Amino acid sequence: MEKLIITVAPTGSIPKKKDTPHVPVTIEEIVSCALRCEDEGASIVHIHTRDEHENPSDDPRVFNEIVERVRERSNLIVQVSTGGRAGTDLKSRIQRLQMRPEMASLTTGSVNFPNSAYVNPPDLIEALAGEMRRLEIKPEMEVFDLSMVNNAAALADRDLAKRPLHFNFVMGLKGAMPAKIAHLVHLVTGLPAESTWTVSGIGAAQLKMAIHAVLMGGNVRVGLEDNIYYRKGELATNEKLVARISRLSKELGREVAEPDEARRILHLSPR
Ligand code: MG
């Protein structure tokens, strides 16, 4: 089995300081949190940005600044979110790709979030995928249901994405797929050959789904974007969530990848 790739998603669009003081929201908080998570075993950092009121921001200058500083000060793989909560139009989402992060997220379909619809029509998906292909940015296909696996494979068929593909299964979000092992097995069984995959369990499902992924040979995303608790009633920090899954994976006999090993496993160019 390959070593485990740990992604940390430290910020996301939802948690604010009133929910947890540990969520990093300023440029410097996000960068320094990423560095601490690298020390604990993370090899990818999934970046969302906020404005001065902690609301999701689509300001490309903020994305740029974070990407540059993380590159300067760490060996982490930077994965920029192209998610729509911070700005739904294509222009806003495509701008973030121009600083050429090594990876970016790409949701290959539409789904309900707990209180809204997350709308990704085919033309928008194709435009984002095409731009990633042109700039040689590896997409992480964000999968909220089974149809999105097939949509991602169809992008590769049309040369809008390069094989092998990399997937992230988001499980346990209200409105989307439940966090059940049977569903995870079904998703993994249906992936195109040679694909790599990660799982993001939401809320209390984060640890449970992560352990399944470790044992199944997949990879893991943790962080406050998906879950703000370490255990019931105890708030987490990003670095503690990374440290826990790193420790448990090693206990289970699976080593944790350094960023350069993650680059090899994901078919990224060496840095
Ligand atoms: Mg995200």
Side-chain angles (χ1 to χ4, degrees), residues 2 71 100 123 126 132 179 189 199 211 218 225 235 247:
E2 289 280 16
R71 271 184 192 151
R100 298 188 180 216
D123 57 343
E126 286 163 20
M132 289 183 206
T189 309
V199 67
I211 295 298
E225 171 166 349
L235 290 171
R247 185 181 73 244

Side-chain angles (χ1 to χ4, degrees), residues 10 36 49 59 71-72 78 91 93 101 123-124 136 138 140 155 160-161 172 178 188 195-196 205 253 256 259 265:
R36 291 193 300 275
T49 56
D59 185 344
R71 271 184 192 151
E72 270 170 35
V78 179
K91 184 167 164 282
R93 291 161 70 163
D123 57 343
L124 180 138
E136 297 183 332
K138 176 139 187 165
E140 176 174 274
L155 291 173
L160 289 168
V188 172
S195 299
T196 48
V256 173
I265 295 166

Side-chain angles (χ1 to χ4, degrees), residues 9 12-13 46-48 81-83 105 142 221 225-226:
S13 300
H46 173 83
I47 298 290
H48 285 253
S81 169
T82 65
S105 61
E142 305 293 345
R221 176 169 120 175
E225 171 166 349
D226 302 329

Side-chain angles (χ1 to χ4, degrees), residues 3-255:
K3 291 185 182 180
L4 178 76
I5 299 170
I6 302 175
T7 299
V8 64
T11 304
S13 300
I14 304 287
K16 292 190 171 184
K17 296 285 190 190
K18 69 175 170 49
D19 305 308
T20 171
H22 305 302
V23 62
V25 293
T26 67
I27 292 173
E28 188 48 38
E29 283 174 354
I30 292 170
V31 173
S32 56
C33 178
L35 303 187
R36 291 193 300 275
C37 290
E38 182 184 31
D39 288 342
E40 298 297 342
S43 48
I44 303 176
V45 59
H46 173 83
I47 298 290
H48 285 253
T49 56
R50 303 288 185 92
D51 65 16
E52 66 274 26
H53 305 295
E54 301 183 46
N55 292 316
S57 160
D58 65 351
D59 185 344
R61 288 168 306 179
V62 179
F63 273 100
N64 266 319
E65 183 89 22
I66 293 172
V67 171
E68 284 305 315
R69 288 200 208 174
V70 172
R71 271 184 192 151
E72 270 170 35
R73 289 162 63 184
S74 82
N75 192 27
L76 286 163
I77 297 165
V78 179
Q79 179 188 91
V80 167
S81 169
T82 65
R85 272 172 167 140
T88 49
D89 64 317
L90 174 64
K91 184 167 164 282
S92 138
R93 291 161 70 163
I94 221 163
Q95 262 182 342
R96 293 168 225 170
L97 301 175
Q98 303 312 312
M99 84 289 278
R100 298 188 180 216
E102 287 178 89
M103 297 182 76
S105 61
L106 177 62
T107 305
T108 50
S110 300
V111 66
N112 277 354
F113 281 160
N115 301 306
S116 60
Y118 181 28
V119 179
N120 296 288
D123 57 343
L124 180 138
I125 297 167
E126 286 163 20
L128 283 171
E131 187 70 351
M132 289 183 206
R133 185 84 173 90
R134 189 177 76 80
L135 297 173
E136 297 183 332
I137 298 166
K138 176 139 187 165
E140 176 174 274
M141 306 298 186
E142 305 293 345
V143 168
F144 292 78
D145 79 33
L146 183 60
S147 65
M148 297 189 193
V149 173
N150 297 325
N151 294 344
L155 291 173
D157 289 341
R158 296 169 55 203
D159 202 31
L160 289 168
K162 198 170 155 187
R163 292 193 169 87
L165 300 176
H166 178 66
F167 293 86
N168 176 34
F169 304 124
V170 183
M171 306 187 78
L173 183 67
K174 186 170 168 253
M177 285 191 293
K180 292 194 170 155
I181 177 123
H183 298 328
L184 181 59
V185 171
H186 186 61
L187 286 161
V188 172
T189 309
L191 290 182
E194 311 295 321
S195 299
T196 48
W197 59 275
T198 295
V199 67
S200 297
I202 304 298
Q206 184 168 85
L207 180 60
K208 176 179 84 168
M209 299 314 289
I211 295 298
H212 287 316
V214 169
L215 295 172
M216 289 168 67
N219 302 287
V220 168
R221 176 169 120 175
V222 293
L224 303 192
E225 171 166 349
D226 302 329
N227 162 45
I228 63 171
Y229 291 103
Y230 191 80
R231 59 172 70 85
K232 197 170 170 26
E234 182 186 336
L235 290 171
T237 64
N238 284 294
E239 48 271 35
K240 277 180 75 175
L241 293 170
V242 172
R244 175 167 64 182
I245 198 62
S246 173
R247 185 181 73 244
L248 290 172
S249 184
K250 290 174 194 162
E251 291 278 344
L252 292 165
R254 189 160 172 213
E255 291 301 313

